[in-house]
DNA sequence: CCTAATCCTGAACGGTGAGTCAACGCCCTC
DNA sequence: GAGGGCGTTGACTCACCGTTCAGGATTAGG
């Protein structure tokens, strides 16, 4: 099986120690994505990473705690990925485009196995009643909107974007549009396709920030 | 009690005991709002409308079906209310304002006991996995966006709004903003207050539709 | 080797909650 | 006032699942 040979080497190889916790968190995120939070059983998680149910509760004090940690873990992964991608692009326009691309459910093939947005919705539901989750959500949420606001600020410093509304305000506005559209795409009736979301997000962002989009198609 | 004439020899049909069914649906919606969908037990619903647990499953073939019906029932209530309110206002501008007001979580005192948006989030989560709910969601969702698009069309016919983007497209855009903001307000960190949502929704709608807002405050 | 700590297992426990059912009473009809 | 059916009850069943636990396996250190 995936038995990891733990070398007695003092310092971490690729995988030691806390490794199991992370495996479990990843497995949990996977199961939550597949089955939904409310249908996720400890045994599913155990099977997904090939261990016994007992072990899950050896590393986590309760199922509830594990689930909250798994949700934030998955979101952290997305955020790290997003940050890395943004750093590659010096242009604020390109950054905004990339942020939007990464936010369209199921658009990027690497992400297909794990729909970030399906987990967001679970986070919302849980945060409504679970103070622990609410606290985490507040952090994740602010981080998300700040990513947008920072792009706006950056674009203004380079002169790509005009001055205008408070950047944080724009973070809220654009964030809201992206959230709202992502839900529609996620639901996957034909009404709003991934391409629609791309187009509309760019369009509305341009309108709100106040720069001109070069005509893409006709 | 309103006694409904029951035809003998028919299966548990939609006609039988319609009042009770509705009572149960209302109670279920209440419990879901209070405790959350995943924490809702049949017994809670039974207690809320003062009957036995057995009776709940006398009227509904399963808990799952009841929950789906309850969610759509609650949304229907909101939609009916919305339609009624809109019909009172001849002006499209006033209609849009009213729609936004009704969409702000917890703003209207009459609605405090039942946060429409908390139920929407539950609908989203469930619709992701339950085809039954997905089908219902599609209907509710279209109806919601069409309400917005119709206001836009109306405003154009009266000359209040300029011509521009396709009205359905605007329904999607404005709908997305309102959805996204409503989530933020619902989560109730201080970042987006009900007043913020009102202001931003109006502001963004005006920008997207293309009419000028008279300065409200200072 | 011996020992202790850590990792891991699978069975057993206990609570819980959906769904069932036999019985009861009330109203309607005849 | 007899009979039948609908609405209603609440106790019971039964499966499920989180959590615990006693102990087996593996590793680290001496």
């Amino acid at each position: 099986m995936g038995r990891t040979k733990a070398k007695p080497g003092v310092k971490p190889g690729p995988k030691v120690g806390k490794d199991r916790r992370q495996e479990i968190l990843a497995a949990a995120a996977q199961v939550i994505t597949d089955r939904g939070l409310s249908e996720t059983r400890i045994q599913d998680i155990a099977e997904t990473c090939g261990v016994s149910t007992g072990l899950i509760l050896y590393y986590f004090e309760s199922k509830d705690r594990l689930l909250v940690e798994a949700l934030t873990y998955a979101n952290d992964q997305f955020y790290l990925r997003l940050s890395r991608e943004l750093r590659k692009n010096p242009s604020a326009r390109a950054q905004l485009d990339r942020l939007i691309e990464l936010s369209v459910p199921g658009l990027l093939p690497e992400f297909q196995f794990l729909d970030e947005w399906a987990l967001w919705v679970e986070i919302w539901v849980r945060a409504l009643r679970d103070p622990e989750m609410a606290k985490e959500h507040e952090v994740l949420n602010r981080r998300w909107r700040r990513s947008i606001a920072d792009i706006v600020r950056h674009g203004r410093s380079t002169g790509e974007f005009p001055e205008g509304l408070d950047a944080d305000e724009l973070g809220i506005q654009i964030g809201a549009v992206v959230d709202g559209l992502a839900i529609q795409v996620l639901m996957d009736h034909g009404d709003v396709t991934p391409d629609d979301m791309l187009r509309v997000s760019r369009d509305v962002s341009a309108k709100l920030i106040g720069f001109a989009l070069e005509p893409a198609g006709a």
Side-chain angles (χ1 to χ4, degrees), chain A:
Chain A
M1 303 292 175
R3 163 118 287 102
T4 310
K5 195 65 172 208
K7 260 306 180 183
V10 255
K11 264 305 157 184
K15 308 166 146 197
V16 208
K18 288 281 184 240
D19 179 48
R20 252 302 139 75
R21 264 184 80 87
Q22 199 158 323
E23 273 178 40
I24 294 173
L25 286 173
Q30 183 64 53
V31 174
I32 296 171
T33 305
D34 291 345
R35 306 230 211 297
L37 190 58
S38 64
E39 299 302 310
T40 292
R41 297 167 304 138
I42 286 188
Q43 182 153 7
D44 298 326
I45 301 170
E47 280 167 14
T48 298
C49 61
V51 298
S52 69
T53 66
L55 194 65
I56 305 294
L57 290 172
Y58 174 77
Y59 282 98
F60 295 88
E61 67 177 273
S62 74
K63 183 196 181 190
D64 276 353
R65 266 242 208 284
L66 163 57
L67 293 179
V68 172
E69 270 193 62
L71 288 169
T72 65
Y73 169 82
N75 192 274
D76 284 347
Q77 298 290 100
F78 175 77
Y79 176 72
L80 290 175
R81 166 70 179 253
L82 175 66
S83 299
R84 232 179 296 127
E85 295 281 339
L86 293 188
R87 245 176 277 121
K88 289 185 193 167
N89 283 299
S91 147
R93 291 277 292 267
Q95 283 184 352
L96 186 60
D97 255 24
R98 192 66 184 144
L99 177 137
I100 291 173
E101 277 167 23
L102 287 167
S103 304
V104 178
L107 188 67
L108 266 31
E110 324 102 86
F111 270 64
Q112 268 176 358
F113 77 105
L114 211 162
D115 280 308
E116 177 59 25
W117 286 100
L119 296 185
W120 260 117
V121 187
E122 302 283 7
I123 290 174
W124 290 333
V125 167
R126 191 168 188 106
L128 282 175
R129 271 109 194 169
D130 176 359
E132 200 95 20
M133 186 80 255
K135 205 155 174 56
E136 289 293 343
H137 170 261
E138 192 171 356
V139 175
L140 308 180
N141 196 39
R142 289 216 172 104
R143 183 170 73 180
W144 164 237
R145 289 202 313 257
R146 188 151 42 89
S147 300
I148 300 173
D150 283 345
I151 293 176
V152 172
R153 276 186 276 268
H154 176 234
R156 284 176 177 165
S157 77
T158 66
E160 289 175 272
F161 299 156
E163 294 300 321
L165 278 182
D166 181 49
D168 293 319
E169 179 94 5
L170 279 170
I172 290 174
Q173 296 182 8
I174 295 174
V177 177
V178 173
D179 283 8
L181 288 171
I183 294 165
Q184 298 298 326
V185 175
L186 190 65
M187 292 302 160
D188 195 30
H189 315 128
D191 300 324
V192 185
T193 67
D195 276 352
D196 288 334
M197 174 166 171
L198 266 183
R199 187 175 40 79
V200 174
S201 299
R202 288 180 178 137
D203 195 40
V204 174
S205 299
K207 270 207 183 71
L208 292 177
I209 297 177
F211 63 91
L213 277 177
E214 53 269 13

